[in-house]
Amino acid sequence: MSFSSLTVSPSPRTHLFVLNSSRFIGPSRRFYQHRSKSQMSRRGFALRGTVAAGISAVDSSVATKSVQGVERLPFKPEGYNFWTWKGHKIHYVEQGEGPPVVLIHGFGASAFHWRYNIPALAERYKVYALDLLGFGWSEKAIVEYDFMVWKEQVVDFLKEVVKEQAILVGNSLGGFTALASAAELPEQVVGIVLLNSAGRFGDTNAESNRSEETVIQRFIKPVKEIFQRFVIGLLFWQAKQPARIVSVLKSVYINPSNVDDYLVESITSPASDPNAGEVYYRLMTQLNANLQKYTLDEVLSKLSCPILLIWGDLDPWTGPDKAIRIKEFYANSLLVNLQAGHCPHDEVPELVNKALLDWLSNLNLKASYQAV
């Protein structure tokens, strides 16, 4: 799979749902292997439309506990730092000193999905973790969501806040956003790290197979939208139920021990935001269409900087084949395979931190980074 979750809020709430390059995040490999295609078609949409990861308003004493000996970012219900972008309130975390490393969460998560990575990276680097528009502590703006909205946000964040050459690190949707942003700012982005990135390779026959919209199709559009709103509204209500959240998270995280109260609470609290339902509807109905417009091969062909692929090979939707294809397509890349699911940085943070720090050290950033 290739996308991860939905969320947003000017308040300390995170709304998490999951998208994939062609489908939403789903059950574990074992679960998937024991489901027939017909069973998956009936239940897959509901499963994919729920949740992947993030954080929300929980007690700070809970938020600072470590897992597997890895330090966790202290939780601040009010958030950390805010930046105004095109009139919208954008949240971000900033820690450490040194060459900048910018962390971009997946679909439905937030900056706090990097809770186990920020402290380790901040010992050597200046770390930024950004909440994309519509997610985390950032505003739940009622806009037409498109991949390029987040690309523009990251590009402007690099120009206005970071102001130095930087490394971009992205999980799921954040991975594709990192690639698109680097293609826009090749002089400022000197390296990219992808963790189970979103995006698909282009289909050369897609254009010829796409038929023109008929009069009948235009006529039934309003009816289709009413039906979509009803179904997606039902899914939105279902996704808020704690029992459902726990079930889905345990199917997505290969290591269920990291499905803690901190994570579950981060998913149950954001739905009270007055704009949450509308943002969820817009994301669910618009993003799959955008997958046809923006492809991995198109973006990768514009890049020349080194890329590190950190891949959870047990991801039920974005398995190792995708990482191998990216590596074959893009010669200046290194692949690290891990026994984890779609969110390796939160499942096996100690392994991800080591892979990141080793790769960053080999880039010799301290000798080369500069203001731009």
Side-chain angles (χ1 to χ4, degrees):
M1 140 182 178
S2 116
F3 294 82
S4 157
S5 335
L6 171 170
T7 193
V8 72
S9 165
S11 64
R13 289 175 173 148
T14 310
H15 183 180
L16 310 159
F17 304 88
V18 190
L19 273 172
N20 155 26
S21 59
S22 60
R23 51 191 59 166
F24 301 111
I25 212 166
S28 68
R29 177 167 290 178
R30 181 178 298 177
F31 181 94
Y32 178 73
Q33 288 172 341
H34 287 81
R35 294 285 185 183
S36 67
K37 290 184 179 179
S38 61
Q39 287 174 308
M40 288 304 294
S41 64
R42 288 195 300 269
R43 299 192 62 193
F45 183 74
L47 278 170
R48 300 172 207 153
T50 33
V51 157
I55 186 164
S56 170
V58 294
D59 183 80
S60 60
S61 64
V62 176
T64 54
K65 291 181 180 178
S66 63
V67 171
Q68 299 172 332
V70 181
E71 183 182 354
R72 179 154 62 187
L73 180 73
F75 177 77
K76 292 186 178 181
E78 71 279 9
Y80 277 77
N81 305 285
F82 291 90
W83 165 61
T84 300
W85 177 68
K86 295 187 176 181
H88 302 299
K89 188 177 182 181
I90 302 298
H91 173 259
Y92 68 97
V93 177
E94 179 182 343
Q95 284 198 359
E97 294 295 334
V101 176
V102 180
L103 309 176
I104 310 171
H105 62 77
F107 191 96
S110 71
F112 280 90
H113 202 194
W114 304 100
R115 52 187 176 162
Y116 297 119
N117 315 109
I118 293 171
L121 292 172
E123 291 180 4
R124 305 183 195 176
Y125 301 94
K126 188 169 188 176
V127 182
Y128 298 90
L130 178 68
D131 280 353
L132 298 176
L133 185 69
F135 300 85
W137 275 248
S138 289
E139 184 179 338
K140 274 198 177 86
I142 304 302
V143 300
E144 296 303 313
Y145 285 92
D146 182 279
F147 288 138
M148 297 303 105
V149 169
W150 297 307
K151 179 206 74 171
E152 291 171 6
Q153 179 190 342
V154 173
V155 165
D156 288 345
F157 185 79
L158 289 168
K159 290 179 178 178
E160 298 177 18
V161 179
V162 179
K163 298 179 182 178
E164 293 176 320
Q165 291 183 331
I167 297 291
L168 297 184
V169 181
N171 169 236
S172 193
L173 171 66
F176 191 85
T177 302
L179 291 172
S181 303
E184 185 81 6
L185 277 183
E187 72 284 356
Q188 191 168 354
V189 178
V190 295
I192 304 168
V193 182
L194 303 178
L195 298 94
N196 294 69
S197 178
R200 62 168 63 146
F201 283 89
D203 178 3
T204 55
N205 297 318
E207 202 61 42
S208 60
N209 293 336
R210 190 177 297 131
S211 60
E212 293 185 5
E213 184 181 53
T214 65
V215 174
I216 294 177
Q217 287 173 324
R218 289 195 294 270
F219 178 76
I220 67 173
K221 263 187 174 180
V223 178
K224 179 182 177 183
E225 181 175 349
I226 292 172
F227 178 72
Q228 282 181 329
R229 282 192 174 275
F230 173 77
V231 173
I232 293 174
L234 183 63
L235 288 173
F236 177 66
W237 175 86
Q238 184 185 43
K240 299 186 294 183
Q241 309 309 310
R244 178 65 165 175
I245 289 168
V246 171
S247 175
V248 174
L249 281 170
K250 287 188 175 181
S251 73
V252 171
Y253 273 50
I254 303 305
N255 177 9
S257 66
N258 280 8
V259 179
D260 52 20
D261 292 342
Y262 180 68
L263 185 60
V264 174
E265 176 68 16
S266 73
I267 298 163
T268 57
S269 63
S272 60
D273 186 283
N275 289 342
E278 179 62 22
V279 171
Y280 182 58
Y281 173 78
R282 291 180 179 227
L283 289 165
M284 292 283 280
T285 55
Q286 294 172 16
L287 284 184
N288 272 342
N290 284 320
L291 291 170
Q292 306 294 333
K293 294 169 59 178
Y294 312 113
T295 62
L296 284 169
D297 41 313
E298 178 185 9
V299 176
L300 287 168
S301 64
K302 299 176 181 178
L303 300 173
S304 59
C305 65
I307 293 179
L308 172 64
L309 303 164
I310 301 179
W311 221 262
D313 284 352
L314 304 181
D315 186 340
W317 300 115
T318 308
D321 289 348
K322 184 175 185 181
I324 292 170
R325 187 170 181 188
I326 293 174
K327 190 175 188 308
E328 291 174 346
F329 184 92
Y330 195 83
N332 192 11
S333 61
L334 174 68
L335 174 59
V336 175
N337 301 95
L338 298 176
Q339 293 295 294
H342 187 65
C343 308
H345 57 294
D346 196 53
E347 294 182 60
V348 286
E350 70 285 2
L351 299 180
V352 169
N353 291 343
K354 183 180 186 307
L356 268 170
L357 290 168
D358 287 349
W359 185 77
L360 289 169
S361 178
N362 288 333
L363 287 184
N364 195 25
L365 287 178
K366 291 183 179 180
S368 63
Y369 86 100
Q370 61 186 32
V372 292

